[in-house]
Amino acid sequence: MIPLSWYLIFAALLFCVGLFGVMARRNAVAVLMSIELMLNAVNVNLLAFWRYLYPDVQAQIFVVIVLAAAAAEAVIGLALIISVYRRRKTVFADDLTLLKG
Amino acid sequence: MSPFQIIFLIVAGLTLASAGMVVTARRMMHAALWLVLTLLGVAVLFATLEASFFTAVQVVVYIGAIAILIIFAVMLTRLNLQEDEPGVNRFAWLAGLVSLLIFAGLVAVLSLWTGFNTVRPTFAGEDIIALGKAMVSANGYAIPFEVASVLLIGALIGAIYVAGEPRKPASKPESK
Amino acid sequence: MDILVWFIPLPPLLAFFAIVLYSNPRKALSHSIAIGGALLSWLMGMIVFIAAITRPDLRAHPIGSVINWLPVANGWFQIGVRIDPLSAVVLFFVVWTVLGIFLYSVGYQNFGQPAGEHDHPGLPPEGAAIRVRKGLTHHVMSIEPLYSRFFALISLFAFAMLLLVVSDNLLTLYIGWEIMGFCSYALIGFWYGKKSARDAAIKAFLTTRVGDMFLFIGLIALYVQTGSLSYAGSLESSAALAKLAAPAGFLGLTWAGLIGILIFIGVVGKSAQFPLHVWLPDAMEGPTPVSAMIHAATMVSAGVYLAIRIFPLVTLGWQQGAPITAAMTVMAAIGTFTALFAASIAVTQNDIKRVLAYSTISQLGFMIAALGVGAYVAAVFHLMTHAFFKGLLFLGSGSVIHGMEHGAMHAQGDQPAEGHPTGEHVDPQDMFNMGGLKDRMPITFWTFLAGGMALSGLPLVTAGFWSKDEILAGAFNGNHLLIFIVLAISALLTAFYTMRQITLTFLGQPRTEAARHAQENTRTMTIPLIVLAVFAVAAGWVGIPRSFPGLGAISSNPLESFVGTMIPAWLEGHADVAGSSIPLLTSLLVSLLGLYVGYMVYRKVDAGAEDPLRRPLGAWYAWAQNRYGIDALYHTLFVRPAVWLSEVFTYQILDKKIIDGILEGIARGTLGLGSLMRRFIDVALVNRAGDLTGSGVRGLGGEMRKAQTGKVQQYMLLAVLLTVLVGAVLFFILVRA
């Protein structure tokens, strides 16, 4: 009853919202939140394909790994943000311009 | 339109709206909470996909751990005057445009794919035991499982090290 | 013997090079080399001459040989030497006179005298001072500073003349001719410090050049017509003569006539006939031996020699008794006119050498007139005798001048030590300053008298009588009465001015102190005079005609039979014709009359008096003394325009204004163009481009730097944007296409 396309379109939309957040949000924590959105969209995509085309344990393992990677990355990212906050007293991405050339 | 579809649409819409609020909320706390809602919506979608295991994992891991972690980070990095300013930077319009284009591109490319409109096939059901066995068997996916474990350990240690208190020059690091 | 002829011109040439390259500083060695050369040539010349006169039928078998010289077309252009009767006679008098003049020059140039303190190379020597006793000096003649150079140049001159005489073709004759032209330039201008000498040298060279140009054209025409320039090939071979008899299409002349006239113009120049006579009197600027050589023995004789050589050309088509050809008419007219013209000027001249110069012009006119009427042997005869007596007269006049200069120095007595000689400044060449020299300079007097009598044609005892008589006979017997009368009048004038000269110079009383103290000269000067005097008397006896009453019977007329073989075959029959006795009587009459009148008029001229002829002849006398204004005419007609052309037109206008102007204009233009290019192209464009490149790159870099904000989100935005674009492009290319 629900074609695959709905899920794919939904996942694409969620992904793009997350992409927007990554590029547009000022607060670094918000950027991380947006990254989580993108990863969730990926998971949705994966499970949609698992359900519709490949009902195999492989896809599930893939999702598990993505989940684990997302967790690890969120942890490290937040740790870094906190460390930077402690040194620079700022949490805005715009202020971190050491790479400026 | 069958009831299933309606439910799907409502849940999808809710999730997307929450996602939109995540990326546009001025106050970080609000954004974090919207994020929780979004994750919940995604969990419901997992349920519609008959991936019950992942629904549970989504709620427990994402909402229960990651979202909490983010809330902690928000609280730890709060600055007093930041809430009145817009949450997006100067090039938000360009980012929106680009995202829109990406979305359009993705949809365009996908719509050319023959399998785009596949109907949901019948399905034997989710086999959790097989998943469990696959995760730990040497013929299966034990190695990716272990590597993911190592990754988590590394993240753990790294996070503690990076986010720890600033060291005094003469003293040794305490944590391990 | 044939080979010996080649060597005759050689010794003087070697002497020239030896003196110029080696012995210039040493005067004695130089004159010894020169005289040695002349002596060798004389010796070889005499050997060849004796061989020539003893060879039977010299005409058909001349002594000489030929070599291949230039390869032309299918064969060779040959040159060679030839001694036939004509060149044997000319060789004879040339080697004798040359030797005499060389010897004479030693004394004339004051060898052995001290060098003068004020003497300058290029100016005549002024005299040296000898200290007599303390505070007083005595002036004597000083040696010529350029002594060796003189001998070198006269050696070269002798070489050229001998080359001309022995050659068997017109080309080597022309070569010798031109070398003589150069030598006469160098020798007339020997005292180059004097402007008058320099001008005279240029005048001589250029005037003869005019003649030489026509001569050269004539030679070219001859070569084109006959294919040869040797005497045998072009003037004597019947094939050549046949070609030359064809009409040339120019003024109705045959080729022979045209070429003859062209070559004759060269003779007119070289032998100083009217209108190209103007150089010869001025050529007296040179030292007297030069005058003797050039104007008596050699150079002017070369002109007449050439005229005699081309006798076959000018007489082609003429028979005895027929009207003379056009070329002959030209020769006769010019010769006769010149004889009278020059004799009339000679009557009015005061300078002893000028008289002789005009006399030479006049006598050459006689010879050419003789050729013009066809009297071949007479012309040759007179050429030979003239060389001897005119050479003698010139050397004698040199002796007189030398003696006068000597006397001028003696007359001053002792002078104070410093300063130039003071006392009377007399022109030692002016006859009106002389007089009574017969007692002071006896040898000079007697020899001069011999020469003068020969020139006047004193009957029987002088060579000049015989030769002049032949010419008058030739004119009369050919029925050219006008020519005969004019030549007779000229002979009269000749005798008159000769006696005038002798009377003024030697007879009467000395008119100046210089004359009173004149000295006889050294042996090196007097011995040549004596030798030439012998020839002046005796040389005529070889040509006594058989028709002469009395002596004619015992004369075999060897000259006639010797030289007469040279006459072209178609004129056979012109032998020792017994014509009427009118020419003989006429020549007797005019010579005796002229001598008598000359003596009578001039015997009582006192010091400071003017010429007794001046009053009676009035305006004509002044006109004649000014040479009839011909020189002034040439100056206005030719010299002034030429000078204007070179100085004003070519130098100032063409050279300075136009050519230099163009060059400077180009220079300025180039500089302007250069600075324009610098301003508008180099600085504005090229420099700016360079600068712009640098600052442009820098600016561009600065602009592009702005993309590196350091803000990671912006980097990502950029990356995603580009990904979209690239994806769209690839999509449209790969998927849709």
Side-chain angles (χ1 to χ4, degrees):
Chain A
M1 273 162 290
I2 300 176
L4 180 57
S5 57
W6 288 28
Y7 284 100
L8 295 182
I9 290 173
F10 168 78
L13 211 50
L14 190 59
F15 183 83
C16 289
V17 169
L19 186 64
F20 170 77
V22 166
M23 293 193 287
R25 288 290 270 172
R26 288 172 71 225
N27 196 317
V29 180
V31 171
L32 262 149
M33 289 197 265
S34 309
I35 291 175
E36 294 307 323
L37 287 178
M38 287 162 81
L39 285 163
N40 274 287
V42 168
N43 273 344
V44 169
N45 229 346
L46 278 168
L47 283 175
F49 278 121
W50 170 77
R51 177 65 182 81
Y52 280 77
L53 297 174
Y54 304 102
D56 202 11
V57 82
Q58 273 183 327
Q60 288 176 308
I61 296 291
F62 203 151
V63 173
V64 168
I65 302 297
V66 169
L67 211 51
E73 165 257 323
V75 161
I76 296 289
L78 289 168
L80 284 167
I81 289 171
I82 289 173
S83 172
V84 166
Y85 175 76
R86 287 219 180 103
R87 278 165 179 50
R88 297 296 185 93
K89 296 293 179 265
T90 182
V91 81
F92 293 116
D94 285 344
D95 298 337
L96 305 170
T97 57
L98 272 178
L99 281 175
K100 183 172 168 76
Chain B
M1 179 114 0
S2 71
F4 195 44
Q5 287 176 335
I6 296 173
I7 291 173
F8 173 84
L9 286 171
I10 293 173
V11 172
L14 211 65
T15 311
L16 287 169
S18 311
M21 292 314 293
V22 168
V23 297
T24 55
R26 271 178 203 239
R27 301 191 182 192
M28 289 311 297
M29 209 55 212
H30 291 195
L33 292 173
W34 284 116
L35 181 66
V36 169
L37 189 60
T38 309
L39 295 171
L40 201 59
V42 169
V44 174
L45 281 178
F46 286 172
T48 62
L49 281 172
E50 295 175 61
S52 48
F53 173 66
F54 287 106
T55 310
V57 167
Q58 172 86 353
V59 174
V60 169
V61 171
Y62 255 109
I63 299 175
I66 293 174
I68 300 294
L69 187 61
I70 287 175
I71 290 173
F72 271 121
V74 165
M75 287 196 213
L76 283 173
T77 60
R78 193 186 288 249
L79 288 168
N80 280 334
L81 293 172
Q82 72 182 23
E83 315 281 280
D84 297 329
E85 293 162 8
V88 295
N89 58 23
R90 277 169 48 206
F91 297 104
W93 58 273
L94 189 57
L97 183 63
V98 169
S99 308
L100 211 59
L101 285 173
I102 295 263
F103 173 68
L106 279 171
V107 168
V109 173
L110 282 172
S111 62
L112 291 177
W113 177 49
T114 48
F116 193 50
N117 286 314
T118 17
V119 178
R120 184 184 293 225
T122 54
F123 156 74
E126 189 186 22
D127 195 353
I128 306 282
I129 293 172
L131 176 62
K133 279 188 188 163
M135 268 203 274
V136 293
S137 76
N139 293 335
Y141 300 94
I143 291 180
F145 180 71
E146 296 302 329
V147 170
S149 310
V150 172
L151 176 67
L152 287 167
I153 294 288
L156 181 72
I157 296 170
I160 292 172
Y161 182 77
V162 166
E165 291 289 327
R167 322 263 176 271
K168 302 196 180 55
S171 66
K172 284 191 171 221
E174 288 181 276
S175 65
K176 165 55 181 97
Chain C
M1 189 55 57
D2 299 328
I3 308 297
L4 188 62
V5 182
W6 283 99
F7 284 99
I8 293 178
L10 212 50
L13 180 66
L14 295 174
F16 167 72
F17 280 114
I19 296 174
V20 163
L21 295 174
Y22 176 59
S23 73
N24 207 344
R26 295 155 61 176
K27 298 182 162 56
L29 184 60
S30 299
H31 80 220
S32 306
I33 291 176
I35 291 179
L39 203 59
L40 273 176
S41 289
W42 173 85
L43 190 64
M44 289 193 281
M46 288 311 292
I47 294 173
V48 168
F49 177 71
I50 292 172
I53 56 179
T54 53
R55 183 185 281 213
D57 203 8
L58 182 67
R59 175 71 178 88
H61 306 284
I63 304 174
S65 65
V66 163
I67 59 169
N68 291 336
W69 188 44
L70 287 177
V72 291
N74 297 327
W76 289 87
F77 185 87
Q78 297 179 316
I79 58 170
V81 295
R82 176 163 113 155
I83 300 293
D84 56 17
L86 175 60
S87 47
V89 169
V90 175
L91 181 67
F92 176 76
F93 73 71
V94 165
V95 293
W96 274 102
T97 48
V98 158
L99 181 61
I101 291 169
F102 272 51
L103 200 58
Y104 178 89
S105 301
V106 171
Y108 188 80
Q109 301 288 27
N110 297 318
F111 179 71
Q113 299 288 337
E117 331 55 57
H118 300 289
D119 280 348
H120 225 297
L123 288 173
E126 282 177 24
I130 299 180
R131 284 192 52 174
V132 177
R133 52 182 183 275
K134 183 173 150 185
L136 285 178
T137 56
H138 184 65
H139 277 92
V140 294
M141 309 280 284
S142 60
I143 190 169
E144 166 64 50
L146 289 174
Y147 190 79
S148 306
R149 181 177 141 112
F150 183 78
F151 278 96
L153 285 171
I154 59 175
S155 297
L156 185 66
F157 195 100
F159 158 72
M161 186 63 193
L162 289 169
L163 175 68
L164 184 143
V165 170
V166 304
S167 70
D168 85 328
N169 62 83
L170 287 168
L171 186 64
T172 46
L173 183 145
Y174 187 65
I175 292 173
W177 182 280
E178 291 293 342
I179 297 179
M180 277 202 290
F182 163 69
C183 287
S184 84
Y185 167 81
L187 285 166
I188 293 171
F190 185 72
W191 286 317
Y192 50 79
K194 287 168 62 175
K195 185 172 193 305
S196 56
R198 292 199 295 269
D199 291 344
I202 292 177
K203 188 172 184 176
F205 192 76
L206 288 178
T207 313
T208 53
R209 201 92 199 102
V210 173
D212 294 347
M213 193 176 67
F214 287 98
L215 169 59
F216 194 58
I217 295 174
L219 290 182
I220 294 173
L222 185 64
Y223 186 73
V224 167
Q225 287 301 309
T226 62
S228 161
L229 280 179
S230 69
Y231 303 143
S234 60
L235 298 173
E236 291 159 12
S237 87
S238 43
L241 290 169
K243 283 200 200 123
L244 290 170
F250 184 71
L251 291 181
L253 295 166
T254 59
W255 277 111
L258 181 62
I259 294 171
I261 291 178
L262 285 171
I263 294 182
F264 177 63
I265 297 177
V267 172
V268 164
K270 204 64 140 189
S271 294
Q273 300 297 292
F274 182 85
L276 295 174
H277 64 281
V278 293
W279 65 271
L280 199 142
D282 284 3
M284 298 298 124
E285 291 287 337
T288 309
V290 168
S291 309
M293 197 144 167
I294 293 181
H295 306 128
T298 48
M299 194 162 105
V300 297
S301 304
V304 178
Y305 173 75
L306 177 62
I308 299 175
R309 272 286 175 210
I310 61 167
F311 192 70
L313 273 184
V314 300
T315 56
L316 190 61
W318 182 60
Q319 300 294 327
Q320 264 294 1
I324 54 178
T325 67
M328 290 169 77
T329 314
V330 168
M331 286 175 76
I334 289 182
T336 320
F337 177 74
T338 308
L340 182 61
F341 173 80
S344 64
I345 297 181
V347 169
T348 64
Q349 294 297 310
N350 294 340
D351 185 317
I352 193 173
K353 282 168 74 171
R354 288 267 146 80
V355 175
L356 294 174
Y358 282 104
S359 169
T360 306
I361 299 175
S362 173
Q363 294 300 303
L364 294 170
F366 269 88
M367 295 176 222
I368 293 188
L371 286 173
V373 299
Y376 186 91
V377 178
V380 176
F381 193 12
H382 201 57
L383 180 66
M384 179 180 76
T385 58
H386 176 267
F388 285 123
F389 62 68
K390 196 45 73 61
L392 169 62
L393 284 171
F394 267 110
L395 293 184
S397 71
S399 177
V400 165
I401 295 167
H402 210 252
M404 285 287 288
E405 285 173 352
H406 218 146
M409 286 186 184
H410 265 271
Q412 297 152 19
D414 295 338
Q415 298 279 313
E418 302 302 317
H420 290 258
T422 58
E424 56 179 1
H425 277 267
V426 295
D427 180 6
Q429 299 186 249
D430 190 337
M431 294 189 297
F432 283 91
N433 291 337
M434 303 175 192
L437 291 178
K438 111 168 149 8
D439 303 310
R440 307 286 315 170
M441 306 171 69
I443 302 179
T444 307
F445 169 64
W446 286 107
T447 53
F448 198 95
L449 190 67
M453 291 303 111
L455 175 58
S456 314
L458 187 68
L460 295 177
V461 293
T462 56
F465 166 72
W466 299 111
S467 53
K468 203 173 294 185
D469 180 46
E470 283 285 317
I471 295 178
L472 288 173
F476 187 78
N477 293 336
N479 279 326
H480 303 112
L481 280 180
L482 180 61
I483 295 176
F484 173 74
I485 292 171
V486 172
L487 285 180
I489 295 174
S490 310
L492 178 67
L493 288 176
T494 306
F496 176 74
Y497 67 65
T498 309
M499 201 57 204
R500 169 181 183 261
Q501 183 174 34
I502 293 175
T503 313
L504 282 174
T505 309
F506 293 103
L507 305 180
Q509 297 301 314
R511 282 185 276 275
T512 59
E513 285 302 312
R516 204 160 292 137
H517 292 268
Q519 305 265 325
E520 185 56 89
N521 292 301
T522 66
R523 273 203 302 272
T524 57
M525 288 172 75
T526 53
I527 288 179
L529 290 177
I530 296 170
V531 171
L532 286 175
V534 170
F535 278 113
V537 169
W541 294 338
V542 298
I544 301 176
R546 269 175 239 114
S547 59
F548 195 73
L551 287 168
I554 56 170
S555 155
S556 57
N557 205 345
L559 185 74
E560 169 88 42
S561 45
F562 187 59
V563 174
T565 56
M566 292 291 297
I567 297 178
W570 61 86
L571 291 177
E572 278 309 306
H574 176 71
D576 192 358
V577 173
S580 80
S581 51
I582 291 183
L584 175 59
L585 289 171
T586 313
S587 60
L588 276 170
L589 180 67
V590 297
S591 75
L592 290 172
L593 182 63
L595 287 170
Y596 179 69
V597 173
Y599 178 67
M600 294 308 290
V601 171
Y602 283 95
R603 107 191 118 105
K604 285 264 192 291
V605 176
D606 298 318
E610 63 166 14
D611 193 329
L613 275 188
R614 186 183 285 274
R615 208 65 74 60
L617 296 177
W620 180 87
Y621 186 89
W623 192 37
Q625 195 170 40
N626 196 24
R627 317 156 183 201
Y628 296 114
I630 304 273
D631 294 62
L633 182 70
Y634 284 175
H635 185 75
T636 318
L637 271 185
F638 300 116
V639 176
R640 291 229 325 246
V643 169
W644 178 85
L645 194 67
S646 68
E647 277 211 3
V648 176
F649 181 69
T650 311
Y651 177 61
Q652 286 176 358
I653 298 180
L654 263 189
D655 215 26
K656 288 219 275 200
K657 290 203 187 120
I658 297 183
I659 295 181
D660 280 357
I662 290 175
L663 286 175
E664 270 182 50
I666 291 177
R668 272 206 302 266
T670 311
L671 280 177
L673 187 67
S675 63
L676 266 182
M677 289 184 78
R678 165 104 184 126
R679 278 218 323 252
F680 291 116
I681 296 180
D682 209 31
V683 173
L685 290 182
V686 175
N687 281 9
R688 226 57 100 78
D691 292 343
L692 264 178
T693 310
S695 59
V697 169
R698 200 185 198 174
L700 192 66
E703 293 299 311
M704 291 186 80
R705 206 189 191 196
K706 291 183 188 159
Q708 305 295 321
T709 53
K711 298 179 186 168
V712 184
Q713 279 173 311
Q714 288 180 4
Y715 293 171
M716 178 154 183
L717 187 55
L718 223 50
V720 173
L721 185 58
L722 283 170
T723 308
V724 168
L725 288 172
V726 171
V729 167
L730 285 176
F731 176 73
F732 280 106
I733 290 176
L734 294 175
V735 175
R736 293 285 290 263

